[in-house]
Amino acid sequence: VAHVLRSRFRGCLAAAVAGDCIGAEFEEGRSRPIDKILAYVDHVNKQRGREVAFTDDTAMARSVASSLIQCKGFDARDMATRFAKEYKRESGRGYGGNVITVFYRLLEEDLQDVFEPSRQQFDGRGSWGNGGAMRVAPVALYAYGDVEKVKDIAKQTAMITHFNREGYNGAILEALAVHLALKQNKDEDLNVIKFVDTLLEKMRIVEGDEAGGSQSEGPNIGQSEDSKTGQSEDPEGDQSEEEKGSKEAAASKEASLPNQPYCAKLEIMKEFLQKENVSRQDVRDQLGNDIKALNSVPAAIFSFLHCMRSVDDIPTDNALERTIIYAISLGGDTDTIATMAGAIAGAYYGIEYVPPPWMKACEGANDAVRFADQLYCLATGE
Ligand code: 8NA
Ligand code: MG
Ligand code: MG
Ligand code: MG
């Protein structure tokens, strides 16, 4: 069992890298004809020596992973500094247009509060871009044993650059999807509807907790994750099971309200998964495919679930490969949707499903395996 889990940790980070590297070729394009994508994948498979470069998605995921590993937990200032220094070192990785102003401020020597630059983005609204979600997979690995910790660290890692509720909630949803994929028993067929229902149940609480609530409180600055593991700080710790139940029921009634936008998209996803045929145009129109977290995390999760079965115009038996190709074929923010879909698929299928030519061609794929092994040690104590 242990080697299976290790393989899934590796698969998660390696497939995330592959999705970014291969997806980057098609970024910003309108929907691409599937033949073009298949031809490009063919070309990648035949690469000899020359690497396919990763972009901001992987650059930032590497900082998330190395910070968690070096600090043996979440340390906001350490992670923020890694993001900013990495940007300074290689600024040409295709970063989002506004996040770079956060990086410059994070490099200021007299900065007191690492969340302050992010909080000030867009006149205090914070960024709703998918930059928090695209890099979150290592968090799901590190916090493997504890779903509350997955949510908490996912939110805080995102908030370093993405203070808008849609920005960090997208990171929470992506982290939960990776977490759930890791936990699936592969001896049983994965029930795609149940998978979405589980995410819905969790996101109703995430989005319900905050409905109408202030988002200006922010996380506990400078507090290391280790120093606040006390159960007493669990916000639901003093509630009875009954109270929790009624809270869930109330939240469930509100699921389709516009202040629970991720739940609304998960409901649409369920409808799509129950249909025999769903066109890519429907996915683009209703789930989205752009740089907003809300318009890309759902598309990534859908790509994974949709590609459990064969897809007519993608002639491969490898479901992980199919997932990444399908994610790219949705067009729009292709590298980011493919990296997020890849992380989920890799966490489910394991490293054996990542095509060896991709491991060879994609820059940083072998580093991803090393990060995964270190996170595996931290998460399991092995
Ligand atoms: P970000 O935080 O700079 O956000 C990206 C963009 O979203 C900003 O430049 C704004 O135009 C817009 N935006 C975000 N929040 C708001 C708001 N509250 N009000 C108005 N506009 C807003 O960057 P990020 O880290 O979220 O990165 C997101 C994407 O950018 C990733 O896909 C990444 O790969 C990169 N990127 C995307 C493309 C593309 O697909 N078009 C191209 C190059 C780079
Ligand atoms: Mg990118
Ligand atoms: Mg790019
Ligand atoms: Mg992108």
Side-chain angles (χ1 to χ4, degrees):
V1 175
H3 74 276
V4 175
L5 186 59
R6 188 195 294 272
S7 161
R8 294 170 93 169
F9 272 53
R10 289 177 172 182
C12 173
L13 297 193
V17 169
D20 176 24
C21 292
I22 300 170
E25 175 74 9
F26 300 94
E27 197 176 2
E28 264 184 303
R30 297 165 58 79
S31 64
R32 293 295 171 129
I34 191 73
D35 333 356
K36 282 241 170 86
I37 299 167
L38 294 172
Y40 181 69
V41 168
D42 230 41
H43 162 78
V44 168
N45 288 342
K46 287 179 191 136
Q47 286 284 0
R48 296 275 181 274
R50 245 194 76 213
E51 283 187 327
V52 180
F54 64 70
T55 77
D56 57 327
D57 308 65
T58 301
M60 296 196 84
R62 288 160 65 97
S63 291
V64 170
S66 57
S67 180
L68 291 170
I69 291 163
Q70 292 302 316
C71 302
K72 295 187 165 53
F74 177 67
D75 180 316
R77 187 168 283 269
D78 179 84
M79 199 177 281
T81 305
R82 284 172 198 268
F83 289 157
K85 285 192 171 160
E86 176 58 30
Y87 170 71
K88 206 174 154 191
R89 206 173 65 83
E90 292 185 328
S91 56
R93 292 281 187 183
Y95 286 90
N98 284 70
V99 70
I100 59 181
T101 62
V102 175
F103 297 149
Y104 285 117
R105 291 229 31 224
L106 288 174
L107 289 167
E108 288 171 7
E109 296 232 323
D110 55 351
L111 182 73
Q112 298 292 314
D113 173 357
V114 276
F115 293 96
E116 186 58 23
S118 158
R119 197 183 283 128
Q120 286 181 355
Q121 291 288 84
F122 302 99
D123 300 319
R125 281 169 289 138
S127 172
W128 39 235
N130 53 23
M134 74 187 182
R135 63 180 186 237
V136 81
V139 172
L141 304 189
Y142 168 74
Y144 169 73
D146 180 349
V147 70
E148 288 307 315
K149 205 159 136 183
V150 171
K151 282 160 59 178
D152 180 47
I153 304 180
K155 180 173 180 177
Q156 296 204 55
T157 60
M159 276 182 147
I160 295 170
T161 50
H162 290 67
F163 218 84
N164 187 282
R165 176 175 180 250
E166 276 185 22
Y168 61 73
N169 279 350
I172 293 175
L173 176 56
E174 169 68 11
L176 286 172
V178 172
H179 176 77
L180 196 55
L182 280 174
K183 294 268 180 187
Q184 294 297 309
N185 179 354
K186 280 206 287 182
D187 297 333
E188 297 160 15
D189 281 344
L190 185 145
N191 181 330
V192 296
I193 300 300
K194 210 173 136 201
F195 192 95
V196 182
D197 275 333
T198 306
L199 291 177
L200 255 171
E201 195 183 300
K202 299 199 184 319
M203 287 308 288
R204 276 179 190 131
I205 295 168
V206 169
E207 293 194 305
D209 269 355
E210 299 194 325
S214 157
Q215 56 162 277
S216 60
E217 284 165 42
N220 297 310
I221 311 317
Q223 207 174 16
S224 88
E225 173 256 316
D226 281 346
S227 69
K228 53 176 202 136
T229 45
Q231 291 302 311
S232 59
E233 296 199 18
D234 177 357
E236 297 185 348
D238 54 2
Q239 286 182 329
S240 68
E241 282 307 308
E242 209 179 335
E243 279 169 327
K244 276 190 197 174
S246 67
K247 189 175 173 185
E248 270 184 45
S252 141
K253 280 186 202 128
E254 290 172 350
S256 54
L257 292 180
N259 64 7
Q260 296 194 305
Y262 284 99
C263 291
K265 293 241 165 155
L266 288 167
E267 296 282 7
I268 296 169
M269 195 184 305
K270 250 168 70 176
E271 284 170 31
F272 282 175
L273 290 166
Q274 277 158 328
K275 286 209 245 173
E276 201 50 54
N277 275 304
V278 184
S279 74
R280 289 183 172 94
Q281 194 56 52
D282 280 346
V283 178
R284 282 192 283 272
D285 289 346
Q286 298 206 47
L287 297 183
N289 68 349
D290 64 37
I291 59 170
K292 280 187 114 177
L294 182 63
N295 293 341
S296 51
V297 175
I301 298 170
F302 178 75
S303 296
F304 164 62
L305 296 172
H306 180 65
C307 293
M308 306 227 64
R309 293 195 288 171
S310 63
V311 174
D312 276 349
D313 54 7
I314 305 179
T316 170
D317 294 332
N318 179 332
L320 184 148
E321 192 179 348
R322 179 158 65 232
T323 300
I324 287 178
I325 293 171
Y326 179 82
I328 295 170
S329 76
L330 292 173
D333 193 359
T334 48
D335 63 338
T336 301
I337 297 173
T339 203
M340 296 191 294
I344 304 165
Y348 181 72
Y349 297 112
I351 190 73
E352 292 77 13
Y353 278 69
V354 183
W358 290 12
M359 291 300 299
K360 257 185 153 171
C362 296
E363 178 190 14
N366 292 318
D367 291 344
V369 171
R370 194 166 43 79
F371 285 131
D373 286 350
Q374 288 173 301
L375 289 166
Y376 179 82
C377 287
L378 279 176
T380 64
E382 281 167 41

